Amino acid sequence: MKSNKGAFRDYLQLEKKYSVHTVNAYLNDISFFEVFNQIHFNQEGIEGVNYSQIRSWIVSLVDEGVSNVSVNRKMASLKSFYKFLLKTKQIEVSPMLKHRALKTPKIVQIPFSEKELTDLMLEVEAPVGFEEIRDKLIVELFYTTGMRRAELINLMMFNVDLSLGTVKVLGKRNKERIVPVLPIVAEQIKLYLRERLVIEGIVNDDYFFISKKGLKLSESFVYRLINSYFSRVSEKVKKSPHVLRHTFATHLLNNGADLNSVKELLGHSSLASTQVYTHNSLAELKKVYAGAHPRSK
């Protein structure tokens, strides 16, 4: 008979469609709690624990200096595990029923300005060779499609359709969405594909973006690339693919796009996820309002 953890893994992968990375993170959190529970309460398994035991783990984690954000993530893993046990009728009440997440500081992502994007595009206006052309295209796709880093890295050759001017993106939980590509970016894609043809010994041929050695790009490479490029034009502390995704959403909203359209482009399942991007667009609206309303004079 399969263990609860094994069945839980299958549930996360097959039913919830979570990534391997997320599944492993959930299972690691559960394993750490199992060890803690065995050491402090001499109890095998965590199916029959009460909330006071979970609370003891929270106190222990905080005393060790674990951040509230990390503690909340571990509690989310436990909550999901006990929800699964409820679903499979192995417990009648979740010990996480009355749990409340620890307070965390609200982090506001600061997007790049339109001027910073313009300055960067001017600086890399005429890329030469495979790597420069590829790198500029990566920046452009992040900024003009709002893709996540993992989505860009895992973009497949057959999901880029220049005849329709679209790319098919595989998002979280294997949810697909179609994103339009601007004509100017389509031209850059054509240029990149011509350069890509001369790369010999391609190992990962199905992947759209590859290294000069023909390998699939890594997440760390793409992060360093964006950080390096934007260090030329921006003094912001955070310069990452996620900031570019935030910039994409903010600039669309600043220029009149409606929230539902931005939600679809980003691949969010609910408007609540998209609304975090409205902070800076509201600031822009306040400026326009203050300058245009007769009572502001």
Side-chain angles (χ1 to χ4, degrees):
M1 184 177 180
K2 183 171 284 192
S3 69
N4 279 332
K5 278 172 63 177
F8 182 54
R9 175 190 288 274
D10 290 345
Y11 166 73
L12 294 176
Q13 288 180 329
L14 303 176
E15 190 167 330
K16 302 297 287 183
K17 306 292 185 184
Y18 287 169
S19 69
V20 173
H21 175 79
T22 300
V23 171
N24 288 338
Y26 273 46
L27 294 175
N28 285 339
D29 291 337
I30 291 165
S31 295
F32 283 129
F33 180 52
E34 284 178 331
V35 171
F36 175 87
N37 194 56
Q38 187 172 11
I39 292 171
H40 292 272
F41 298 100
N42 195 29
Q43 183 178 358
E44 291 287 341
I46 59 171
E47 286 79 2
V49 304
N50 55 51
Y51 184 65
S52 65
Q53 290 167 267
I54 296 171
R55 183 69 187 170
S56 295
W57 190 39
I58 294 173
V59 172
S60 174
L61 290 169
V62 172
D63 286 345
E64 290 171 10
V66 178
S67 71
N68 285 7
V69 171
S70 294
V71 171
N72 285 343
R73 194 209 71 206
K74 295 177 188 300
M75 293 308 108
S77 299
L78 285 188
K79 191 172 183 179
S80 184
F81 180 64
Y82 289 117
K83 186 177 179 180
F84 167 73
L85 294 182
L86 276 172
K87 186 182 178 79
T88 53
K89 302 188 186 311
Q90 297 183 64
I91 59 173
E92 293 183 0
V93 179
S94 169
M96 296 291 291
L97 186 63
K98 296 182 179 180
H99 174 72
R100 296 292 177 268
L102 302 183
K103 290 185 178 179
T104 56
K106 189 173 182 180
I107 300 173
V108 177
Q109 293 279 3
I110 302 174
F112 299 115
S113 67
E114 291 188 32
K115 183 180 185 306
E116 285 172 328
L117 264 299
T118 300
D119 288 348
L120 181 61
M121 288 302 107
L122 286 174
E123 190 164 322
V124 295
E125 188 173 13
V128 177
F130 171 75
E131 289 183 293
E132 285 188 12
I133 290 168
R134 176 201 62 198
D135 294 352
K136 182 183 179 184
L137 178 57
I138 286 173
V139 176
E140 284 276 30
L141 275 179
F142 273 135
Y143 178 53
T144 60
T145 68
M147 280 191 213
R148 299 178 178 93
R149 176 170 50 170
E151 292 170 346
L152 181 133
I153 289 169
N154 291 306
L155 184 64
M156 309 302 281
M157 288 288 287
F158 54 79
N159 284 336
V160 177
D161 191 331
L162 291 177
S163 64
L164 293 176
T166 62
V167 293
K168 183 185 289 185
V169 179
L170 186 63
K172 289 184 176 181
R173 304 182 190 179
N174 293 327
K175 184 180 177 183
E176 291 184 342
R177 68 183 187 278
I178 305 295
V179 182
V181 173
L182 296 176
I184 190 172
V185 179
E187 291 304 313
Q188 290 180 41
I189 289 175
K190 292 176 185 176
L191 181 59
Y192 166 72
L193 290 175
R194 284 199 294 271
E195 292 291 328
R196 190 181 185 280
L197 286 173
V198 304
I199 301 297
E200 297 180 355
I202 297 178
V203 178
N204 303 121
D205 196 38
D206 287 339
Y207 289 98
F208 184 77
F209 284 112
I210 56 172
S211 71
K212 64 180 179 180
K213 293 182 179 179
L215 301 172
K216 177 186 175 185
L217 300 184
S218 69
E219 292 200 359
S220 59
F221 171 85
V222 174
Y223 181 91
R224 290 195 306 270
L225 167 67
I226 297 303
N227 189 282
S228 173
Y229 265 56
F230 280 90
S231 292
R232 307 181 191 183
V233 296
S234 177
E235 295 183 357
K236 290 181 174 65
V237 174
K238 190 74 179 289
K239 297 180 279 288
S240 69
H242 185 69
V243 173
L244 257 181
R245 177 172 162 85
H246 184 74
T247 301
F248 164 80
T250 302
H251 289 185
L252 282 177
L253 291 166
N254 283 350
N255 286 281
D258 69 274
L259 203 58
N260 268 308
S261 297
V262 176
K263 166 184 169 290
E264 294 302 317
L265 289 167
L266 291 171
H268 286 159
S269 56
S270 70
L271 270 179
S273 300
T274 314
Q275 283 170 338
V276 300
Y277 296 99
T278 62
H279 175 82
N280 292 285
S281 59
L282 284 174
E284 187 72 18
L285 283 173
K286 285 179 181 178
K287 287 182 188 177
V288 174
Y289 176 73
H293 197 281
R295 294 288 287 170
S296 67
K297 307 302 183 192

